[in-house]
PDB file of all heavy atoms in Angstrom:
ATOM      1  N   THR A  33      19.588   4.916  37.185  1.00 84.00           N
ATOM      2  CA  THR A  33      19.053   4.638  35.852  1.00 84.00           C
ATOM      3  C   THR A  33      19.991   5.185  34.778  1.00 84.00           C
ATOM      4  O   THR A  33      20.431   6.344  34.860  1.00 84.00           O
ATOM      5  CB  THR A  33      17.662   5.273  35.679  1.00 84.00           C
ATOM      6  OG1 THR A  33      16.790   4.744  36.676  1.00 84.00           O
ATOM      7  CG2 THR A  33      17.097   4.958  34.292  1.00 84.00           C
ATOM      8  N   ILE A  34      20.289   4.348  33.792  1.00 88.00           N
ATOM      9  CA  ILE A  34      21.088   4.763  32.644  1.00 88.00           C
ATOM     10  C   ILE A  34      20.180   4.737  31.418  1.00 88.00           C
ATOM     11  O   ILE A  34      19.545   3.725  31.125  1.00 88.00           O
ATOM     12  CB  ILE A  34      22.298   3.840  32.418  1.00 88.00           C
ATOM     13  CG1 ILE A  34      23.159   3.754  33.677  1.00 88.00           C
ATOM     14  CG2 ILE A  34      23.139   4.328  31.242  1.00 88.00           C
ATOM     15  CD1 ILE A  34      24.314   2.791  33.562  1.00 88.00           C
ATOM     16  N   THR A  35      20.109   5.887  30.721  1.00 87.00           N
ATOM     17  CA  THR A  35      19.260   5.986  29.534  1.00 87.00           C
ATOM     18  C   THR A  35      20.090   6.448  28.340  1.00 87.00           C
ATOM     19  O   THR A  35      21.193   6.974  28.491  1.00 87.00           O
ATOM     20  CB  THR A  35      18.098   6.973  29.750  1.00 87.00           C
ATOM     21  OG1 THR A  35      18.646   8.259  30.038  1.00 87.00           O
ATOM     22  CG2 THR A  35      17.212   6.524  30.896  1.00 87.00           C
ATOM     23  N   GLY A  36      19.527   6.279  27.152  1.00 87.00           N
ATOM     24  CA  GLY A  36      20.181   6.721  25.926  1.00 87.00           C
ATOM     25  C   GLY A  36      19.365   6.333  24.723  1.00 87.00           C
ATOM     26  O   GLY A  36      18.309   5.697  24.837  1.00 87.00           O
ATOM     27  N   LYS A  37      19.846   6.725  23.551  1.00 88.00           N
ATOM     28  CA  LYS A  37      19.152   6.434  22.296  1.00 88.00           C
ATOM     29  C   LYS A  37      20.165   5.940  21.270  1.00 88.00           C
ATOM     30  O   LYS A  37      21.290   6.445  21.211  1.00 88.00           O
ATOM     31  CB  LYS A  37      18.450   7.694  21.772  1.00 88.00           C
ATOM     32  CG  LYS A  37      17.624   7.473  20.507  1.00 88.00           C
ATOM     33  CD  LYS A  37      16.868   8.737  20.121  1.00 88.00           C
ATOM     34  CE  LYS A  37      16.001   8.495  18.896  1.00 88.00           C
ATOM     35  NZ  LYS A  37      15.222   9.693  18.500  1.00 88.00           N
ATOM     36  N   VAL A  38      19.752   4.960  20.451  1.00 87.00           N
ATOM     37  CA  VAL A  38      20.635   4.362  19.444  1.00 87.00           C
ATOM     38  C   VAL A  38      20.010   4.569  18.065  1.00 87.00           C
ATOM     39  O   VAL A  38      18.835   4.232  17.844  1.00 87.00           O
ATOM     40  CB  VAL A  38      20.847   2.858  19.705  1.00 87.00           C
ATOM     41  CG1 VAL A  38      21.831   2.278  18.703  1.00 87.00           C
ATOM     42  CG2 VAL A  38      21.325   2.619  21.127  1.00 87.00           C
ATOM     43  N   ILE A  39      20.802   5.121  17.134  1.00 86.00           N
ATOM     44  CA  ILE A  39      20.304   5.375  15.778  1.00 86.00           C
ATOM     45  C   ILE A  39      21.326   4.911  14.750  1.00 86.00           C
ATOM     46  O   ILE A  39      22.496   4.688  15.067  1.00 86.00           O
ATOM     47  CB  ILE A  39      19.989   6.872  15.548  1.00 86.00           C
ATOM     48  CG1 ILE A  39      21.275   7.709  15.635  1.00 86.00           C
ATOM     49  CG2 ILE A  39      18.946   7.375  16.537  1.00 86.00           C
ATOM     50  CD1 ILE A  39      21.074   9.175  15.270  1.00 86.00           C
ATOM     51  N   LEU A  47      17.156   2.436  15.994  1.00 80.00           N
ATOM     52  CA  LEU A  47      17.414   1.009  15.859  1.00 80.00           C
ATOM     53  C   LEU A  47      16.726   0.268  17.005  1.00 80.00           C
ATOM     54  O   LEU A  47      17.152   0.337  18.158  1.00 80.00           O
ATOM     55  CB  LEU A  47      18.917   0.729  15.869  1.00 80.00           C
ATOM     56  CG  LEU A  47      19.714   1.364  14.721  1.00 80.00           C
ATOM     57  CD1 LEU A  47      21.195   1.051  14.859  1.00 80.00           C
ATOM     58  CD2 LEU A  47      19.200   0.902  13.371  1.00 80.00           C
ATOM     59  N   GLU A  48      15.651  -0.422  16.663  1.00 68.00           N
ATOM     60  CA  GLU A  48      14.917  -1.187  17.666  1.00 68.00           C
ATOM     61  C   GLU A  48      15.637  -2.512  17.932  1.00 68.00           C
ATOM     62  O   GLU A  48      16.198  -3.126  17.026  1.00 68.00           O
ATOM     63  CB  GLU A  48      13.494  -1.447  17.174  1.00 68.00           C
ATOM     64  CG  GLU A  48      12.613  -2.142  18.198  1.00 68.00           C
ATOM     65  CD  GLU A  48      11.215  -2.426  17.654  1.00 68.00           C
ATOM     66  OE1 GLU A  48      10.991  -2.167  16.459  1.00 68.00           O
ATOM     67  OE2 GLU A  48      10.374  -2.901  18.435  1.00 68.00           O
ATOM     68  N   TYR A  49      15.632  -2.958  19.197  1.00 62.00           N
ATOM     69  CA  TYR A  49      16.251  -4.216  19.635  1.00 62.00           C
ATOM     70  C   TYR A  49      17.776  -4.188  19.605  1.00 62.00           C
ATOM     71  O   TYR A  49      18.422  -5.230  19.584  1.00 62.00           O
ATOM     72  CB  TYR A  49      15.737  -5.406  18.817  1.00 62.00           C
ATOM     73  CG  TYR A  49      14.279  -5.716  19.049  1.00 62.00           C
ATOM     74  CD1 TYR A  49      13.351  -5.561  18.031  1.00 62.00           C
ATOM     75  CD2 TYR A  49      13.827  -6.136  20.294  1.00 62.00           C
ATOM     76  CE1 TYR A  49      12.007  -5.823  18.242  1.00 62.00           C
ATOM     77  CE2 TYR A  49      12.492  -6.409  20.512  1.00 62.00           C
ATOM     78  CZ  TYR A  49      11.590  -6.255  19.494  1.00 62.00           C
ATOM     79  OH  TYR A  49      10.268  -6.513  19.710  1.00 62.00           O
ATOM     80  N   ALA A  50      18.384  -2.992  19.578  1.00 77.00           N
ATOM     81  CA  ALA A  50      19.826  -2.921  19.807  1.00 77.00           C
ATOM     82  C   ALA A  50      20.081  -3.297  21.278  1.00 77.00           C
ATOM     83  O   ALA A  50      19.272  -3.001  22.169  1.00 77.00           O
ATOM     84  CB  ALA A  50      20.340  -1.518  19.525  1.00 77.00           C
ATOM     85  N   THR A  51      21.209  -3.935  21.556  1.00 78.00           N
ATOM     86  CA  THR A  51      21.496  -4.447  22.901  1.00 78.00           C
ATOM     87  C   THR A  51      22.477  -3.535  23.635  1.00 78.00           C
ATOM     88  O   THR A  51      23.578  -3.268  23.147  1.00 78.00           O
ATOM     89  CB  THR A  51      22.092  -5.865  22.819  1.00 78.00           C
ATOM     90  OG1 THR A  51      21.196  -6.702  22.081  1.00 78.00           O
ATOM     91  CG2 THR A  51      22.285  -6.437  24.213  1.00 78.00           C
ATOM     92  N   PHE A  52      22.058  -3.062  24.816  1.00 83.00           N
ATOM     93  CA  PHE A  52      22.902  -2.240  25.673  1.00 83.00           C
ATOM     94  C   PHE A  52      23.463  -3.143  26.787  1.00 83.00           C
ATOM     95  O   PHE A  52      22.707  -3.796  27.510  1.00 83.00           O
ATOM     96  CB  PHE A  52      22.097  -1.096  26.282  1.00 83.00           C
ATOM     97  CG  PHE A  52      22.864  -0.270  27.286  1.00 83.00           C
ATOM     98  CD1 PHE A  52      23.930   0.514  26.889  1.00 83.00           C
ATOM     99  CD2 PHE A  52      22.528  -0.302  28.636  1.00 83.00           C
ATOM    100  CE1 PHE A  52      24.651   1.265  27.803  1.00 83.00           C
ATOM    101  CE2 PHE A  52      23.227   0.449  29.554  1.00 83.00           C
ATOM    102  CZ  PHE A  52      24.289   1.229  29.143  1.00 83.00           C
ATOM    103  N   VAL A  53      24.806  -3.206  26.906  1.00 82.00           N
ATOM    104  CA  VAL A  53      25.464  -4.142  27.817  1.00 82.00           C
ATOM    105  C   VAL A  53      26.276  -3.372  28.857  1.00 82.00           C
ATOM    106  O   VAL A  53      27.053  -2.466  28.525  1.00 82.00           O
ATOM    107  CB  VAL A  53      26.386  -5.117  27.050  1.00 82.00           C
ATOM    108  CG1 VAL A  53      27.069  -6.068  28.027  1.00 82.00           C
ATOM    109  CG2 VAL A  53      25.583  -5.891  26.009  1.00 82.00           C
ATOM    110  N   LEU A  54      26.101  -3.747  30.141  1.00 82.00           N
ATOM    111  CA  LEU A  54      26.878  -3.218  31.261  1.00 82.00           C
ATOM    112  C   LEU A  54      27.678  -4.356  31.877  1.00 82.00           C
ATOM    113  O   LEU A  54      27.115  -5.355  32.299  1.00 82.00           O
ATOM    114  CB  LEU A  54      25.953  -2.613  32.320  1.00 82.00           C
ATOM    115  CG  LEU A  54      25.392  -1.210  32.077  1.00 82.00           C
ATOM    116  CD1 LEU A  54      24.350  -0.901  33.140  1.00 82.00           C
ATOM    117  CD2 LEU A  54      26.501  -0.182  32.122  1.00 82.00           C
ATOM    118  N   GLY A  65      21.990  -5.377  31.463  1.00 74.00           N
ATOM    119  CA  GLY A  65      21.707  -4.490  30.342  1.00 74.00           C
ATOM    120  C   GLY A  65      20.259  -4.556  29.917  1.00 74.00           C
ATOM    121  O   GLY A  65      19.369  -4.938  30.704  1.00 74.00           O
ATOM    122  N   GLY A  66      19.976  -4.171  28.652  1.00 75.00           N
ATOM    123  CA  GLY A  66      18.617  -4.163  28.129  1.00 75.00           C
ATOM    124  C   GLY A  66      18.639  -3.949  26.631  1.00 75.00           C
ATOM    125  O   GLY A  66      19.705  -3.912  26.001  1.00 75.00           O
ATOM    126  N   ILE A  67      17.445  -3.806  26.031  1.00 74.00           N
ATOM    127  CA  ILE A  67      17.342  -3.590  24.595  1.00 74.00           C
ATOM    128  C   ILE A  67      16.556  -2.314  24.324  1.00 74.00           C
ATOM    129  O   ILE A  67      15.785  -1.848  25.175  1.00 74.00           O
ATOM    130  CB  ILE A  67      16.668  -4.775  23.870  1.00 74.00           C
ATOM    131  CG1 ILE A  67      15.245  -4.982  24.406  1.00 74.00           C
ATOM    132  CG2 ILE A  67      17.490  -6.033  23.998  1.00 74.00           C
ATOM    133  CD1 ILE A  67      14.469  -6.029  23.641  1.00 74.00           C
ATOM    134  N   THR A  68      16.746  -1.735  23.146  1.00 81.00           N
ATOM    135  CA  THR A  68      16.066  -0.494  22.792  1.00 81.00           C
ATOM    136  C   THR A  68      14.637  -0.778  22.337  1.00 81.00           C
ATOM    137  O   THR A  68      14.329  -1.873  21.835  1.00 81.00           O
ATOM    138  CB  THR A  68      16.820   0.233  21.665  1.00 81.00           C
ATOM    139  OG1 THR A  68      16.941  -0.653  20.544  1.00 81.00           O
ATOM    140  CG2 THR A  68      18.196   0.660  22.135  1.00 81.00           C
ATOM    141  N   ASP A  69      13.772   0.233  22.500  1.00 72.00           N
ATOM    142  CA  ASP A  69      12.390   0.094  22.060  1.00 72.00           C
ATOM    143  C   ASP A  69      12.250   0.564  20.612  1.00 72.00           C
ATOM    144  O   ASP A  69      13.255   0.781  19.918  1.00 72.00           O
ATOM    145  CB  ASP A  69      11.450   0.870  22.997  1.00 72.00           C
ATOM    146  CG  ASP A  69      11.743   2.373  23.017  1.00 72.00           C
ATOM    147  OD1 ASP A  69      12.461   2.863  22.117  1.00 72.00           O
ATOM    148  OD2 ASP A  69      11.247   3.051  23.936  1.00 72.00           O
ATOM    149  N   ILE A  70      11.012   0.756  20.148  1.00 64.00           N
ATOM    150  CA  ILE A  70      10.790   1.105  18.739  1.00 64.00           C
ATOM    151  C   ILE A  70      11.351   2.475  18.394  1.00 64.00           C
ATOM    152  O   ILE A  70      11.558   2.787  17.223  1.00 64.00           O
ATOM    153  CB  ILE A  70       9.289   1.059  18.388  1.00 64.00           C
ATOM    154  CG1 ILE A  70       8.503   2.035  19.260  1.00 64.00           C
ATOM    155  CG2 ILE A  70       8.746  -0.330  18.530  1.00 64.00           C
ATOM    156  CD1 ILE A  70       7.050   2.153  18.857  1.00 64.00           C
ATOM    157  N   ASN A  71      11.607   3.309  19.420  1.00 72.00           N
ATOM    158  CA  ASN A  71      12.199   4.623  19.185  1.00 72.00           C
ATOM    159  C   ASN A  71      13.710   4.623  19.378  1.00 72.00           C
ATOM    160  O   ASN A  71      14.337   5.678  19.381  1.00 72.00           O
ATOM    161  CB  ASN A  71      11.559   5.662  20.108  1.00 72.00           C
ATOM    162  CG  ASN A  71      10.080   5.824  19.858  1.00 72.00           C
ATOM    163  OD1 ASN A  71       9.662   6.005  18.725  1.00 72.00           O
ATOM    164  ND2 ASN A  71       9.283   5.727  20.907  1.00 72.00           N
ATOM    165  N   GLY A  72      14.297   3.423  19.559  1.00 81.00           N
ATOM    166  CA  GLY A  72      15.737   3.310  19.746  1.00 81.00           C
ATOM    167  C   GLY A  72      16.206   3.682  21.144  1.00 81.00           C
ATOM    168  O   GLY A  72      17.410   3.864  21.366  1.00 81.00           O
ATOM    169  N   ILE A  73      15.298   3.781  22.105  1.00 84.00           N
ATOM    170  CA  ILE A  73      15.636   4.244  23.457  1.00 84.00           C
ATOM    171  C   ILE A  73      15.759   3.055  24.412  1.00 84.00           C
ATOM    172  O   ILE A  73      14.944   2.124  24.380  1.00 84.00           O
ATOM    173  CB  ILE A  73      14.560   5.231  23.959  1.00 84.00           C
ATOM    174  CG1 ILE A  73      14.555   6.486  23.085  1.00 84.00           C
ATOM    175  CG2 ILE A  73      14.789   5.598  25.421  1.00 84.00           C
ATOM    176  CD1 ILE A  73      13.412   7.432  23.376  1.00 84.00           C
ATOM    177  N   PHE A  74      16.810   3.091  25.257  1.00 84.00           N
ATOM    178  CA  PHE A  74      16.947   2.083  26.307  1.00 84.00           C
ATOM    179  C   PHE A  74      16.881   2.769  27.669  1.00 84.00           C
ATOM    180  O   PHE A  74      17.187   3.947  27.826  1.00 84.00           O
ATOM    181  CB  PHE A  74      18.241   1.271  26.161  1.00 84.00           C
ATOM    182  CG  PHE A  74      19.500   2.097  26.249  1.00 84.00           C
ATOM    183  CD1 PHE A  74      20.083   2.415  27.484  1.00 84.00           C
ATOM    184  CD2 PHE A  74      20.132   2.553  25.093  1.00 84.00           C
ATOM    185  CE1 PHE A  74      21.233   3.161  27.565  1.00 84.00           C
ATOM    186  CE2 PHE A  74      21.293   3.313  25.166  1.00 84.00           C
ATOM    187  CZ  PHE A  74      21.847   3.617  26.394  1.00 84.00           C
ATOM    188  N   ASN A  75      16.506   1.990  28.671  1.00 81.00           N
ATOM    189  CA  ASN A  75      16.336   2.489  30.038  1.00 81.00           C
ATOM    190  C   ASN A  75      16.671   1.341  30.975  1.00 81.00           C
ATOM    191  O   ASN A  75      15.890   0.400  31.108  1.00 81.00           O
ATOM    192  CB  ASN A  75      14.888   2.969  30.228  1.00 81.00           C
ATOM    193  CG  ASN A  75      14.694   3.727  31.516  1.00 81.00           C
ATOM    194  OD1 ASN A  75      15.085   3.257  32.578  1.00 81.00           O
ATOM    195  ND2 ASN A  75      14.065   4.888  31.424  1.00 81.00           N
ATOM    196  N   VAL A  76      17.857   1.413  31.627  1.00 83.00           N
ATOM    197  CA  VAL A  76      18.370   0.287  32.418  1.00 83.00           C
ATOM    198  C   VAL A  76      18.660   0.748  33.842  1.00 83.00           C
ATOM    199  O   VAL A  76      19.270   1.796  34.057  1.00 83.00           O
ATOM    200  CB  VAL A  76      19.661  -0.286  31.780  1.00 83.00           C
ATOM    201  CG1 VAL A  76      20.270  -1.363  32.666  1.00 83.00           C
ATOM    202  CG2 VAL A  76      19.357  -0.829  30.393  1.00 83.00           C
ATOM    203  N   LYS A  77      18.221  -0.052  34.811  1.00 81.00           N
ATOM    204  CA  LYS A  77      18.511   0.221  36.226  1.00 81.00           C
ATOM    205  C   LYS A  77      19.657  -0.679  36.684  1.00 81.00           C
ATOM    206  O   LYS A  77      19.704  -1.859  36.344  1.00 81.00           O
ATOM    207  CB  LYS A  77      17.271  -0.025  37.083  1.00 81.00           C
ATOM    208  CG  LYS A  77      16.121   0.932  36.794  1.00 81.00           C
ATOM    209  CD  LYS A  77      14.969   0.704  37.741  1.00 81.00           C
ATOM    210  CE  LYS A  77      13.801   1.646  37.439  1.00 81.00           C
ATOM    211  NZ  LYS A  77      14.168   3.051  37.622  1.00 81.00           N
ATOM    212  N   LEU A  85      30.856  -0.130  29.171  1.00 87.00           N
ATOM    213  CA  LEU A  85      29.599  -0.001  28.434  1.00 87.00           C
ATOM    214  C   LEU A  85      29.798  -0.412  26.980  1.00 87.00           C
ATOM    215  O   LEU A  85      30.836  -0.120  26.388  1.00 87.00           O
ATOM    216  CB  LEU A  85      29.089   1.446  28.451  1.00 87.00           C
ATOM    217  CG  LEU A  85      28.378   1.959  29.700  1.00 87.00           C
ATOM    218  CD1 LEU A  85      29.293   1.947  30.908  1.00 87.00           C
ATOM    219  CD2 LEU A  85      27.843   3.364  29.455  1.00 87.00           C
ATOM    220  N   SER A  86      28.808  -1.075  26.418  1.00 86.00           N
ATOM    221  CA  SER A  86      28.851  -1.399  24.991  1.00 86.00           C
ATOM    222  C   SER A  86      27.433  -1.486  24.440  1.00 86.00           C
ATOM    223  O   SER A  86      26.489  -1.792  25.177  1.00 86.00           O
ATOM    224  CB  SER A  86      29.590  -2.722  24.727  1.00 86.00           C
ATOM    225  OG  SER A  86      28.898  -3.812  25.299  1.00 86.00           O
ATOM    226  N   ILE A  87      27.305  -1.174  23.137  1.00 87.00           N
ATOM    227  CA  ILE A  87      26.022  -1.282  22.439  1.00 87.00           C
ATOM    228  C   ILE A  87      26.254  -2.092  21.177  1.00 87.00           C
ATOM    229  O   ILE A  87      27.126  -1.756  20.366  1.00 87.00           O
ATOM    230  CB  ILE A  87      25.451   0.107  22.097  1.00 87.00           C
ATOM    231  CG1 ILE A  87      25.214   0.908  23.379  1.00 87.00           C
ATOM    232  CG2 ILE A  87      24.155  -0.028  21.319  1.00 87.00           C
ATOM    233  CD1 ILE A  87      24.742   2.328  23.130  1.00 87.00           C
ATOM    234  N   GLU A  88      25.468  -3.154  21.013  1.00 78.00           N
ATOM    235  CA  GLU A  88      25.662  -4.082  19.907  1.00 78.00           C
ATOM    236  C   GLU A  88      24.406  -4.168  19.044  1.00 78.00           C
ATOM    237  O   GLU A  88      23.286  -4.078  19.549  1.00 78.00           O
ATOM    238  CB  GLU A  88      25.999  -5.481  20.441  1.00 78.00           C
ATOM    239  CG  GLU A  88      27.252  -5.515  21.309  1.00 78.00           C
ATOM    240  CD  GLU A  88      27.452  -6.863  21.968  1.00 78.00           C
ATOM    241  OE1 GLU A  88      26.558  -7.714  21.826  1.00 78.00           O
ATOM    242  OE2 GLU A  88      28.497  -7.056  22.626  1.00 78.00           O
ATOM    243  N   TYR A  95      29.672  -0.246  19.693  1.00 86.00           N
ATOM    244  CA  TYR A  95      30.075   0.949  20.437  1.00 86.00           C
ATOM    245  C   TYR A  95      30.590   0.521  21.805  1.00 86.00           C
ATOM    246  O   TYR A  95      29.953  -0.280  22.502  1.00 86.00           O
ATOM    247  CB  TYR A  95      28.869   1.889  20.582  1.00 86.00           C
ATOM    248  CG  TYR A  95      29.071   3.009  21.578  1.00 86.00           C
ATOM    249  CD1 TYR A  95      29.674   4.200  21.213  1.00 86.00           C
ATOM    250  CD2 TYR A  95      28.654   2.858  22.905  1.00 86.00           C
ATOM    251  CE1 TYR A  95      29.853   5.230  22.124  1.00 86.00           C
ATOM    252  CE2 TYR A  95      28.818   3.885  23.825  1.00 86.00           C
ATOM    253  CZ  TYR A  95      29.426   5.060  23.428  1.00 86.00           C
ATOM    254  OH  TYR A  95      29.600   6.074  24.338  1.00 86.00           O
ATOM    255  N   THR A 106      22.097   8.692  34.768  1.00 87.00           N
ATOM    256  CA  THR A 106      22.932   9.180  33.669  1.00 87.00           C
ATOM    257  C   THR A 106      22.244   8.978  32.334  1.00 87.00           C
ATOM    258  O   THR A 106      21.693   7.912  32.056  1.00 87.00           O
ATOM    259  CB  THR A 106      24.290   8.433  33.655  1.00 87.00           C
ATOM    260  OG1 THR A 106      24.927   8.617  34.921  1.00 87.00           O
ATOM    261  CG2 THR A 106      25.182   8.952  32.540  1.00 87.00           C
ATOM    262  N   ASP A 107      22.275  10.027  31.508  1.00 86.00           N
ATOM    263  CA  ASP A 107      21.800   9.946  30.124  1.00 86.00           C
ATOM    264  C   ASP A 107      23.025  10.050  29.226  1.00 86.00           C
ATOM    265  O   ASP A 107      23.672  11.094  29.173  1.00 86.00           O
ATOM    266  CB  ASP A 107      20.813  11.070  29.828  1.00 86.00           C
ATOM    267  CG  ASP A 107      20.239  10.984  28.406  1.00 86.00           C
ATOM    268  OD1 ASP A 107      20.638  10.076  27.649  1.00 86.00           O
ATOM    269  OD2 ASP A 107      19.391  11.829  28.063  1.00 86.00           O
ATOM    270  N   ILE A 108      23.359   8.962  28.527  1.00 86.00           N
ATOM    271  CA  ILE A 108      24.566   8.982  27.707  1.00 86.00           C
ATOM    272  C   ILE A 108      24.307   9.614  26.346  1.00 86.00           C
ATOM    273  O   ILE A 108      25.203   9.690  25.505  1.00 86.00           O
ATOM    274  CB  ILE A 108      25.144   7.563  27.528  1.00 86.00           C
ATOM    275  CG1 ILE A 108      24.224   6.694  26.671  1.00 86.00           C
ATOM    276  CG2 ILE A 108      25.410   6.915  28.884  1.00 86.00           C
ATOM    277  CD1 ILE A 108      24.852   5.364  26.294  1.00 86.00           C
ATOM    278  N   GLY A 109      23.059  10.083  26.116  1.00 85.00           N
ATOM    279  CA  GLY A 109      22.754  10.780  24.875  1.00 85.00           C
ATOM    280  C   GLY A 109      22.466   9.831  23.725  1.00 85.00           C
ATOM    281  O   GLY A 109      22.111   8.667  23.921  1.00 85.00           O
ATOM    282  N   THR A 110      22.647  10.341  22.511  1.00 87.00           N
ATOM    283  CA  THR A 110      22.375   9.558  21.297  1.00 87.00           C
ATOM    284  C   THR A 110      23.655   8.930  20.776  1.00 87.00           C
ATOM    285  O   THR A 110      24.656   9.617  20.574  1.00 87.00           O
ATOM    286  CB  THR A 110      21.758  10.439  20.205  1.00 87.00           C
ATOM    287  OG1 THR A 110      20.523  10.975  20.681  1.00 87.00           O
ATOM    288  CG2 THR A 110      21.492   9.632  18.941  1.00 87.00           C
ATOM    289  N   VAL A 111      23.607   7.634  20.570  1.00 88.00           N
ATOM    290  CA  VAL A 111      24.753   6.887  20.052  1.00 88.00           C
ATOM    291  C   VAL A 111      24.463   6.502  18.604  1.00 88.00           C
ATOM    292  O   VAL A 111      23.442   5.876  18.316  1.00 88.00           O
ATOM    293  CB  VAL A 111      25.027   5.627  20.896  1.00 88.00           C
ATOM    294  CG1 VAL A 111      26.187   4.831  20.299  1.00 88.00           C
ATOM    295  CG2 VAL A 111      25.329   6.011  22.332  1.00 88.00           C
ATOM    296  N   ASP A 447      12.811  13.554  25.620  1.00 77.00           N
ATOM    297  CA  ASP A 447      12.098  12.376  25.125  1.00 77.00           C
ATOM    298  C   ASP A 447      10.928  12.759  24.234  1.00 77.00           C
ATOM    299  O   ASP A 447      10.347  11.909  23.564  1.00 77.00           O
ATOM    300  CB  ASP A 447      11.578  11.542  26.309  1.00 77.00           C
ATOM    301  CG  ASP A 447      12.699  10.825  27.051  1.00 77.00           C
ATOM    302  OD1 ASP A 447      13.755  10.601  26.426  1.00 77.00           O
ATOM    303  OD2 ASP A 447      12.507  10.508  28.228  1.00 77.00           O
ATOM    304  N   LYS A 504       7.258  10.292  25.402  1.00 84.00           N
ATOM    305  CA  LYS A 504       7.295   8.975  26.035  1.00 84.00           C
ATOM    306  C   LYS A 504       7.413   9.186  27.535  1.00 84.00           C
ATOM    307  O   LYS A 504       8.359   9.814  28.020  1.00 84.00           O
ATOM    308  CB  LYS A 504       8.475   8.152  25.510  1.00 84.00           C
ATOM    309  CG  LYS A 504       8.579   6.760  26.124  1.00 84.00           C
ATOM    310  CD  LYS A 504       9.698   5.968  25.472  1.00 84.00           C
ATOM    311  CE  LYS A 504       9.908   4.617  26.148  1.00 84.00           C
ATOM    312  NZ  LYS A 504       8.729   3.760  26.058  1.00 84.00           N
TER     313      LYS A 504
END
Side-chain angles (χ1 to χ4, degrees):
T33 301
I34 304 176
T35 60
K37 184 175 182 179
V38 184
I39 65 174
L47 298 178
E48 185 182 5
Y49 293 114
T51 305
F52 175 67
V53 179
L54 281 172
I67 60 174
T68 57
D69 61 15
I70 59 173
N71 298 310
I73 296 172
F74 61 85
N75 191 310
V76 174
K77 295 184 181 297
L85 281 63
S86 65
I87 299 176
E88 301 172 354
Y95 167 86
T106 303
D107 183 358
I108 68 171
T110 299
V111 177
D447 288 336
K504 180 175 175 62

